[in-house]
Coordinates of all heavy atoms in Angstrom, one line a residue:
V134 N 112.4 96.9 99.9 CA 112.9 95.6 99.3 C 111.9 95.2 98.2 O 110.7 95.1 98.3 CB 112.8 94.5 100.4 CG1 113.3 93.2 99.8 CG2 113.6 94.9 101.6
S135 N 112.5 95.0 97.0 CA 111.8 94.6 95.8 C 111.8 93.1 95.7 O 112.9 92.5 95.7 CB 112.4 95.2 94.5 OG 112.3 96.6 94.5
F136 N 110.7 92.4 95.6 CA 110.6 91.0 95.4 C 110.4 90.7 94.0 O 109.4 91.1 93.4 CB 109.5 90.4 96.3 CG 109.6 90.5 97.7 CD1 109.1 91.6 98.4 CD2 110.3 89.5 98.5 CE1 109.3 91.7 99.8 CE2 110.5 89.7 99.8 CZ 110.0 90.7 100.5
P137 N 111.3 89.9 93.3 CA 111.1 89.6 91.9 C 109.7 88.9 91.7 O 109.3 88.0 92.5 CB 112.2 88.6 91.6 CG 113.3 89.0 92.6 CD 112.5 89.3 93.8
R138 N 109.1 89.2 90.6 CA 107.8 88.6 90.2 C 107.9 87.1 90.0 O 107.0 86.3 90.3 CB 107.2 89.3 89.0 CG 108.1 89.0 87.7 CD 107.6 89.9 86.6 NE 106.3 89.6 86.1 CZ 105.9 88.6 85.3 NH1 106.9 87.7 84.9 NH2 104.7 88.4 85.0
D139 N 109.1 86.6 89.6 CA 109.3 85.2 89.3 C 110.0 84.5 90.4 O 110.5 83.3 90.3 CB 110.1 85.0 88.0 CG 109.4 85.6 86.8 OD1 108.2 85.4 86.7 OD2 110.1 86.2 85.9
L140 N 110.0 85.1 91.6 CA 110.6 84.4 92.8 C 109.7 83.3 93.3 O 108.5 83.5 93.5 CB 110.7 85.4 94.0 CG 111.3 84.9 95.3 CD1 112.8 84.6 95.1 CD2 111.1 86.0 96.4
M141 N 110.2 82.1 93.4 CA 109.5 80.9 93.9 C 109.6 80.8 95.4 O 110.7 80.8 96.0 CB 110.0 79.7 93.2 CG 110.0 79.7 91.7 SD 108.3 79.9 91.0 CE 107.6 78.3 91.5
V142 N 108.4 80.8 96.1 CA 108.4 80.8 97.6 C 107.4 79.8 98.1 O 106.4 79.4 97.4 CB 108.1 82.2 98.1 CG1 109.2 83.2 97.8 CG2 106.7 82.7 97.5
E143 N 107.5 79.5 99.4 CA 106.5 78.7 100.1 C 105.4 79.7 100.5 O 105.8 80.8 101.0 CB 107.2 78.0 101.3 CG 106.2 77.1 102.0 CD 106.8 76.4 103.2 OE1 108.1 76.4 103.3 OE2 106.1 75.8 104.0
V144 N 104.2 79.3 100.4 CA 103.1 80.2 100.7 C 102.2 79.6 101.8 O 101.7 78.5 101.7 CB 102.2 80.4 99.4 CG1 101.0 81.4 99.7 CG2 103.0 81.0 98.3
P145 N 102.1 80.4 102.9 CA 101.2 79.9 104.0 C 99.8 80.0 103.7 O 99.3 80.7 102.8 CB 101.6 80.8 105.2 CG 102.0 82.0 104.5 CD 102.6 81.7 103.2
E146 N 99.0 79.3 104.5 CA 97.5 79.4 104.3 C 97.1 80.9 104.7 O 97.7 81.5 105.6 CB 96.8 78.5 105.3 CG 95.3 78.5 105.3 CD 94.7 77.5 106.3 OE1 94.8 76.3 106.0 OE2 94.3 77.9 107.4
C147 N 96.2 81.5 104.0 CA 95.8 82.8 104.3 C 94.3 83.0 104.0 O 93.6 82.2 103.4 CB 96.6 83.8 103.4 SG 96.8 83.4 101.7
T148 N 93.7 84.1 104.5 CA 92.3 84.4 104.4 C 92.1 85.4 103.3 O 92.6 86.5 103.4 CB 91.8 84.9 105.8 OG1 92.1 84.0 106.8 CG2 90.3 85.1 105.7
R149 N 91.2 85.1 102.4 CA 90.8 86.0 101.4 C 89.8 87.0 101.9 O 89.3 86.9 103.0 CB 90.1 85.2 100.2 CG 91.0 84.2 99.6 CD 90.3 83.6 98.3 NE 91.1 82.6 97.6 CZ 91.0 81.3 97.8 NH1 90.0 80.8 98.6 NH2 91.8 80.4 97.1
D150 N 89.5 88.1 101.1 CA 88.7 89.1 101.5 C 87.3 88.7 101.8 O 86.5 89.2 102.6 CB 88.7 90.3 100.5 CG 87.9 91.5 100.9 OD1 88.2 92.0 102.0 OD2 87.0 91.9 100.2
D151 N 86.8 87.6 101.1 CA 85.5 87.1 101.2 C 85.3 86.2 102.4 O 84.3 85.6 102.7 CB 85.0 86.5 100.0 CG 85.8 85.3 99.5 OD1 86.7 84.9 100.3 OD2 85.5 84.7 98.4
G152 N 86.4 86.0 103.2 CA 86.4 85.1 104.3 C 86.8 83.7 104.0 O 87.0 82.9 105.0
S153 N 86.9 83.3 102.8 CA 87.3 82.0 102.4 C 88.8 81.8 102.7 O 89.6 82.7 102.8 CB 87.0 81.6 101.0 OG 87.7 82.5 100.1
T154 N 89.3 80.5 102.7 CA 90.7 80.2 103.0 C 91.4 79.9 101.7 O 91.0 79.0 100.9 CB 90.8 79.0 104.0 OG1 90.1 79.4 105.2 CG2 92.2 78.7 104.2
A155 N 92.5 80.5 101.5 CA 93.4 80.2 100.4 C 94.4 79.2 100.9 O 95.1 79.4 101.9 CB 94.1 81.4 99.9
P156 N 94.5 78.0 100.3 CA 95.3 77.0 100.9 C 96.8 77.3 100.8 O 97.3 78.1 99.9 CB 95.0 75.7 100.0 CG 94.5 76.3 98.7 CD 93.8 77.6 99.1
A157 N 97.6 76.7 101.6 CA 99.1 76.8 101.6 C 99.6 76.2 100.3 O 99.0 75.2 99.8 CB 99.7 76.2 102.8

Side-chain angles (χ1 to χ4, degrees):
V134 183
S135 297
F136 295 92
R138 64 190 297 277
D139 296 323
L140 179 69
M141 302 301 291
V142 292
E143 183 179 349
V144 180
E146 181 180 285
C147 46
T148 304
R149 300 187 179 101
D150 186 55
D151 62 5
S153 63
T154 298

